[in-house]
Structure formats: structure tokens, C-alpha cells
Amino acid sequence: MMKMTFLAGAALSSLLVATPALAQTTPSDQAELVKLLKAQAEEIAALRARLDKIEGAQASTPVAHAAAAPVDQARQVKRTNVANDETVADSFAPQLAPTDLVDQSVAQVRAAANASNVTTEWRGGLPIFRSADGKFLFKMRGRIINHVSSTFGSNYDARNITTTGARALRIGIEGAVGPHFFYQFENDFADNTSDVGTMFVGWRNDIGKLSYDVRFGNMFNDRSFEGSGGSDAPPFLERNVVATSIIPQRGFYGIALMPRLFWKTGHASVTISGDSVDASQAMNDNRTVLGRVHWNPIKTDRAILHVGLWGFDEALSSRSPGTLTRNTVIGGRFNGNLRVQTGTLTGGTGTTGYGAELGGYVGSLWVMGEAGQRVARLNGGRPDFESKAWSLSTGFFVTGDLPPYNPRLGTFAQPRVLRPVFDGGPGAIELLARYESIDYSGIPNATKGTAATVGTNWYLDSIIRLQLNLISWKTNNRAGSFTGKDSGQTVSAGFGVTF
């Protein structure tokens, strides 16, 4: 085709050169030139007809059946996209080519190239891999959260220290096979140890307007508002005392079977679990039955009302033997000397806990209140060990972003930043305040603690955040190295990346 185009161009050049010469020749020469020009004109017409015929045949060839190289496929796709246009896309200069034609052609070429391979999309800081038939999905996930805190004002010099630590150093995977089967695994390397965190397989499906899933493995509790979210979900650097104290003795994790039911305005879950995956396997596990339900009676694009209830019952094995000792965070996670402590407490036979959640948001303002109680049964006819806790917190996004509330699970999640810093925006800036109280009673070493916290979060985007908390705390321990009434302040800061 290039050769024919060149011949046609050469013929036209000859015609242009010959035309001025007609005025300077004799009649016989002119007749000869006219004859020559007619012959050239007929040749040009034949070449043009042949060229049009060849290009027309190429333009009508279906892309799906073309057995050409990738470059030829791209050219063919472009021609197909402009079949109703007189000009082929190849003839456009790159800076003038219609962007919609270019985007369409690139998308089609990629689709053709991936017909038997993996497709990818970038979301949440990492690529998501999908098989071309949509049957398989796989992605990496991870979390890096580092804290620093400094305490001052305590009556005990040992409490007035500056500490650093990793709240979470996690790496994991998640995936799915078909529309129903899914799995997830995470390992945490914080505190210089390697611990299995989330690890389960599951099945999900829809029933009319309802949906459900059933998971089995080492799973996080679905218990309380802040206790149901991961370490990257709470707006403060540490969860409130309801989440950290009204809890089964085994902690946040356990090998469990957990079915969950979801509807448009809420969800419900039931958990039957033993101990965590890293617990001893030479004795009976603790047994815990836990349930939670949340409901959004008001749910609009810019407003949510949240109501939640939860409870658990736990039978303790004799392996510890029935240890119920508590050392609860009150002024920051990484000052190990700053705790609400019960002292050593053994002889527990079981625990029962329950709680309630009430809150929501309107626009950029959110409020959440939680309260819970835990009763631990002791052997030997001793009174029950009771734990009571409550928390009231609020936050406001000065940048106009909405609170990161997840209506499916009834808890906070990662925010969706409207104007990320990396796109030239301010990110999302949130102002926070919280008051919380914990009271351990019914035992000789009864103790209590309170904390008032103000803080701010700066979310650079939906993945990266900077946090600052100023905590004014009070404790009244009757056991341990720091007994009696004490008070002080702790300044904590953190940097988090979640993907």
C-alpha cells in the first residue's frame, strides 16, 4: 500500500512539473505532453481505485478475527472505532487525536491482550488481581501503625516516661474463588513477635433482599462499636475502655464459627469460639458464645442513627487456672506503667458481658456513646468480680468530609478523603474529644480510672494518616507498684498506613 501511495505521489509530482511547461512548447510537443498527461491521469485513477479497494477491505475486517500482531490489532481497532468517519485515527497527530477514540482503542487492545491472562486494578494502595473470567480474585493487605507517647505530671517518676512502639505491623492476603467462597490471612509482627491475626475461610450468598456469610477460623470479635473495628479503625490512638475491658478473657481473637446476616439497615452476628490460634492445644479451650446486632433506623446520604446491642457468655477452663487479672490501658498504649490494675486474680469459672451502643452522625459531625458491664464468676463462694465501663466521644471534620462509618458492619472504617493531599487538596482534618471511665469492683483490690482526651487526625488520603492525642488521666489502684490516687497527662502521636 505504501508503494502504491508513493507511485501516486510521484505521478502527481510529474503532473505539477509538467503543467507549467505547456506554455513554452510547440504545438506538436504540446500534443505529445497532453497525451502523456492523459496517460498519467488514467494511471493515477487506477491506482486510487485500487488503494480505496484495499483500505475498504481492511476497514471491514472484524477485530475479533484478526490474526495480526498487537500493533496491527491496535491499528485495526482504531479503524473499527471510526468506521463512520472519513479519516482513520492513525492519521491524527498524537496531541490532536480524539481522546475518546484513543481510550476506546487502548481498552479494547488491553482486553484482547488479557483474554487468557490476569487483569489488575489499583485500589486502596495495592493492586487487585482478577482472572479474565472473573472467577478468581487476589490482593495483598497490610497495616503499619507507629506510636510515640510522653507522660508527665504523675506522682510516680516511673510513670513519667517517653515510649515508642508499633501498634500494628501487619501483612496479609485476601481473595475469593467464584461469587461465594472467600478467605483472608494476616500476620502481625508488632512487639518483635510473630502472631497470627485474622485467618479464616468463608462462604457468602444472597437470599432475596438479605445477604449472609459464614466464616470459620481465627477471627476478630464482633463486640461493641470500637471493639468490632481493626486497630486502624478507631478515630483515637487507642480504643475506648468499653472495648478494652468488657471483653472475654481470651481477648479479641479466637478460633470461631461466625455466621452473619445483613439487611439494608443493619446486621446481626453470632460467634461460637475457643481460644486464639496460638493458644495451648494440650488442654480444653475456653468456650465463648457472643452475639451482636446493630440497626440504622435513620439512614440517608449525610446522616445515620446507630443503635447496637451485644453480649457474650464465657466458660473458663481450669488451665490458667481461671485467671481474671486485668491491666487496662487508660493513658496511652505504650506506657506499661500507666494502667488500671486489679492485681493477681484467679479462680474464675466463667464470665458474662453485655453492652449497648448509641450514636450517629449528621454531615461532618459524629457522636458515639458506649456502655458495658462484665460479671466474672469466682469459685469458693466469693463475690463476683464486676467491670463497668462507659465512653462518650465526638468528632468533627473541618474539611467537610463525612465520618468513615460503615453501615454494613456498624463500626468505623478507613475514611474516604474528598480532596487528598497528593491531588493538591488539604486532605481530611478531624477534631476529636472523648471522656471514658472504667471501674473494677467486687474484689479486695477494687480500682477505677478515668480519662479525658482531645485530639486531631489528619488523613492525607484514604491510606495515610497522622494522629495527635492529649490525654488527662486519673487512676486509683489498690494493687501493683502505683497504688493510691494519681493523675497526669500523656501526649501521644501516631503515623498509620493501611492498604
Side-chain angles (χ1 to χ4, degrees), residues 97 105 114 168 175 189 247 256 258 272 274 283 287 300 305 358 415 425 428 479-480 488:
S105 63
N114 288 322
F189 297 93
I247 186 173
M258 182 188 294
I272 304 174
M283 301 181 185
R287 183 272 304 150
T300 70
L305 177 61
L358 180 63

Side-chain angles (χ1 to χ4, degrees), residues 130-146:
R130 302 178 190 271
S131 60
D133 58 6
K135 185 177 180 180
F136 298 95
L137 178 147
F138 177 85
K139 65 168 289 189
M140 299 291 293
R141 55 186 294 131
R143 194 178 305 167
I144 303 172
I145 304 176
N146 294 329

Side-chain angles (χ1 to χ4, degrees), residues 225 296 298-306 358-368 395 397 401-407 411-412:
F225 184 79
N296 299 132
I298 298 176
K299 182 180 178 183
T300 70
D301 291 340
R302 294 187 60 81
I304 285 283
L305 177 61
H306 172 97
L358 180 63
Y361 69 86
V362 176
S364 298
L365 175 67
W366 63 267
V367 178
M368 183 59 63
F397 283 87
D401 300 75
L402 291 178
Y405 178 81
N406 183 340
T411 187
F412 277 139

Side-chain angles (χ1 to χ4, degrees), residues 151-403:
T151 299
F152 49 91
S154 171
N155 295 329
Y156 297 95
D157 290 339
R159 279 184 162 181
N160 296 322
I161 59 176
T162 297
T163 62
T164 59
R167 179 69 175 84
L169 292 174
R170 293 194 175 196
I171 190 69
I173 61 173
E174 66 175 279
V177 180
H180 304 298
F181 180 81
F182 62 100
Y183 60 90
Q184 184 175 321
F185 170 78
E186 286 186 354
N187 200 77
D188 198 342
F189 297 93
D191 299 323
N192 290 328
T193 60
S194 176
D195 291 320
V196 174
T198 300
M199 178 273 298
F200 64 78
V201 295
W203 182 270
R204 56 193 169 204
N205 205 351
D206 297 330
I207 308 174
K209 294 183 179 180
L210 302 177
S211 63
Y212 73 89
D213 64 37
V214 179
R215 301 179 297 166
F216 178 72
N218 200 57
M219 287 180 291
F220 199 73
N221 292 332
D222 189 10
R223 175 197 50 83
S224 87
F225 184 79
E226 289 196 8
S228 297
S231 56
D232 59 337
F236 297 86
L237 284 166
E238 184 54 58
R239 298 182 180 93
N240 63 37
V241 292
V242 179
T244 56
S245 64
I246 313 302
I247 186 173
Q249 197 65 31
R250 60 167 171 72
F252 284 91
Y253 285 90
I255 292 284
L257 176 68
M258 182 188 294
R260 301 185 298 181
L261 181 67
F262 303 93
W263 59 93
K264 186 176 181 181
T265 58
H267 96 290
S269 71
V270 176
T271 306
I272 304 174
S273 73
D275 291 333
S276 68
V277 68
D278 294 324
S280 172
Q281 297 176 351
M283 301 181 185
N284 286 332
D285 283 359
N286 297 331
R287 183 272 304 150
T288 305
V289 178
L290 189 152
R292 178 173 180 250
V293 59
H294 101 273
W295 177 43
N296 299 132
I298 298 176
K299 182 180 178 183
T300 70
D301 291 340
R302 294 187 60 81
I304 285 283
L305 177 61
H306 172 97
V307 180
L309 295 172
W310 52 271
F312 64 86
D313 184 79
E314 178 183 34
L316 299 175
S317 72
S318 59
R319 50 184 237 168
S320 296
T323 301
L324 296 171
T325 303
R326 288 290 174 168
N327 295 292
T328 303
V329 172
I330 193 65
R333 180 180 181 85
F334 289 102
N335 187 339
N337 295 329
L338 185 53
R339 298 284 190 269
V340 179
Q341 298 175 304
T342 63
T344 301
L345 184 61
T346 60
T349 61
T351 71
T352 299
Y354 47 87
E357 315 155 18
L358 180 63
Y361 69 86
V362 176
S364 298
L365 175 67
W366 63 267
V367 178
M368 183 59 63
E370 292 195 73
Q373 182 171 352
R374 176 179 182 256
V375 178
R377 298 174 290 277
L378 303 177
N379 59 19
R382 291 176 293 168
D384 292 338
F385 165 40
E386 295 186 359
S387 307
K388 299 177 182 178
W390 63 272
S391 169
L392 180 63
S393 55
T394 184
F396 178 73
F397 283 87
V398 298
T399 47
D401 300 75
L402 291 178

